[in-house]
Amino acid sequence: MTLTGGSISVIGAGTMGNGIAHVFAQNGFKVTIVDISLAQLDKAVANISKNLDRQVAKGTLTEEQKKTTLANIHTESNIIEGVKDAALVVEAATENVELKLKIFEQLDTYAPKSAILATNTSSISITKIAAVTNRASKVIGMHFMNPVPVMKLVEIINGYATDKEVTHTIVELSKQLGKVPCVVNDYPGFIANRILMPMINEAIYSLYEGVAGVEEIDTVMKLGMAHPMGPLQLADFVGLDVCLAILKVLHDGFGNPKYAPCPLLINMVAAGKLGVKSGEGFYVYAAGSKELVVSGRFAN
Ligand code: NAD
């Protein structure tokens, strides 16, 4: 089974949606980005353009390829219009179960019956999402990593009913995008977040319990474990609200107290300190600044 005709629809123009659209468009696919927010759609195209400029400046893309990539991208705020010609839909809307179930009901109604419906969810059950559609065999997880144009991995998640041919199609498509696919099964957190989030949570607990400061925790993991980024900086990058939501899924899904989110994480999300996207988390992020500055809340 290969993707025949049609285009790619990406639902959600946020951090992940614009990266996913970028990668498909750069590899020659016609892409429609759908979002309920016109401002987010504008921002997504501006972001993609900026990221393409960076690739041109590095010499990894020509000016001509940049133009072709941008010409492959369309935006749409109406989901009916946005998915009507899709061969594949990749949903990358906000990580919220009710929202995703509602979106998949709509996708099942409005996308062509032959279309594969993929979700970029970090942690919500693919099987549960598939169950609200009449095509559970064509529903699959296609979990890209952030930033999408840079990160090679695509974690492909088979739901309970996902057809093997659908998995094969998504594996081959991921390779076509220059990515490395890894197929896993549908249990809470899949593999990436089942292992990453407890590490981030433990780093936050270490800070909360006063074992060490923000810089010390991140430095130990960077220099000691050769991680390119410390877990607290990574949490800021992923979004603290996203980290909290995933930990709740692990906690509920396994019923094991080892996944209980740290109270400090819960407080930071309640205070609107969500990391890079809100300008502050464990670090502060001033527009245009590349310097990593620990938030005053945690400064020694
Ligand atoms: P985000 O908050 O940056 O963007 C979400 C977008 O969804 C927003 O633009 C919002 O307007 C849009 N949206 C909300 N309701 C919608 C609807 N009904 N129809 C269309 N668009 C709608 O979120 P994000 O960080 O890009 O995450 C998106 C998905 O990707 C989530 O499922 C998340 O778990 C997953 N994910 C995130 C990361 C990460 O590092 N941020 C990594 C991997 C996977």
Side-chain angles (χ1 to χ4, degrees):
M1 183 181 184
T2 47
L3 277 188
T4 43
S7 60
I8 312 293
S9 297
V10 176
I11 312 295
T15 312
M16 297 304 287
N18 84 65
I20 295 167
H22 175 149
V23 166
F24 274 107
Q26 194 184 319
N27 285 282
F29 292 89
K30 295 275 178 216
V31 181
T32 303
I33 316 177
V34 181
D35 202 293
I36 44 171
S37 157
L38 288 175
Q40 282 290 88
L41 287 170
D42 289 345
K43 205 169 129 193
V45 174
N47 250 328
I48 294 169
S49 182
K50 199 178 70 193
N51 290 333
L52 288 167
D53 281 340
R54 207 171 289 155
Q55 289 171 267
V56 172
K58 270 200 214 151
T60 54
L61 202 74
T62 65
E63 193 61 50
E64 200 49 43
Q65 287 170 315
K66 177 196 159 180
K67 277 196 196 128
T68 318
T69 302
L70 285 175
N72 279 341
I73 298 174
H74 301 275
T75 59
E76 180 57 66
S77 58
N78 179 331
I79 194 164
I80 303 177
E81 278 299 309
V83 303
K84 68 174 199 263
D85 297 321
L88 166 71
V89 181
V90 183
E91 175 276 321
T94 316
E95 184 80 345
N96 172 295
V97 184
E98 279 69 40
L99 175 70
K100 293 211 192 270
L101 297 184
K102 192 181 126 219
I103 290 175
F104 271 78
E105 277 174 5
Q106 293 176 316
L107 296 179
D108 193 37
T109 308
Y110 302 123
K113 290 288 166 245
S114 57
I116 295 177
L117 306 181
T119 172
N120 185 53
T121 181
S122 303
S123 62
I124 297 169
S125 161
I126 308 304
T127 305
K128 186 171 181 168
I129 291 175
V132 301
T133 72
N134 291 309
R135 58 177 102 180
S137 62
K138 289 198 172 74
V139 176
I140 191 162
M142 196 175 187
H143 184 203
F144 290 87
M145 304 292 128
N146 186 13
V148 183
V150 177
M151 299 290 280
K152 285 275 176 206
L153 178 70
V154 182
E155 188 180 33
I156 294 172
I157 306 112
N158 280 328
Y160 192 84
T162 308
D163 193 294
K164 279 197 171 66
E165 289 220 358
V166 169
T167 309
H168 178 72
T169 302
I170 297 302
V171 164
E172 292 307 312
L173 182 65
S174 302
K175 290 181 191 164
Q176 234 179 301
L177 299 177
K179 303 293 183 197
V180 178
C182 259
V183 179
V184 309
N185 289 318
D186 183 27
Y187 289 98
F190 319 132
I191 287 297
N193 282 310
R194 180 170 179 166
I195 296 172
L196 174 65
M197 287 302 157
M199 182 189 74
I200 285 178
N201 200 34
E202 206 55 37
I204 302 173
Y205 263 114
S206 305
L207 177 68
Y208 172 67
E209 291 168 2
V211 181
V214 170
E215 276 176 311
E216 288 73 15
I217 292 168
D218 276 356
T219 304
V220 166
M221 296 306 285
K222 275 191 290 187
L223 301 187
M225 318 299 154
H227 289 191
M229 196 184 270
L232 298 174
Q233 189 188 355
L234 181 57
D236 275 358
F237 197 61
V238 170
L240 300 192
D241 52 342
V242 175
C243 293
L244 179 59
I246 299 171
L247 280 162
K248 283 181 178 165
V249 168
L250 291 172
H251 193 218
D252 293 349
F254 292 113
N256 188 328
K258 77 177 178 182
Y259 298 111
C262 177
L264 173 59
L265 174 63
I266 296 171
N267 263 356
M268 289 176 75
V269 172
K273 305 297 182 197
L274 308 181
V276 176
K277 67 178 148 190
S278 74
E280 185 178 344
F282 297 103
Y283 297 87
V284 283
Y285 303 90
S289 166
K290 288 215 159 118
E291 201 192 345
L292 198 56
V293 180
V294 174
S295 155
R297 176 75 176 65
F298 304 111
N300 294 324

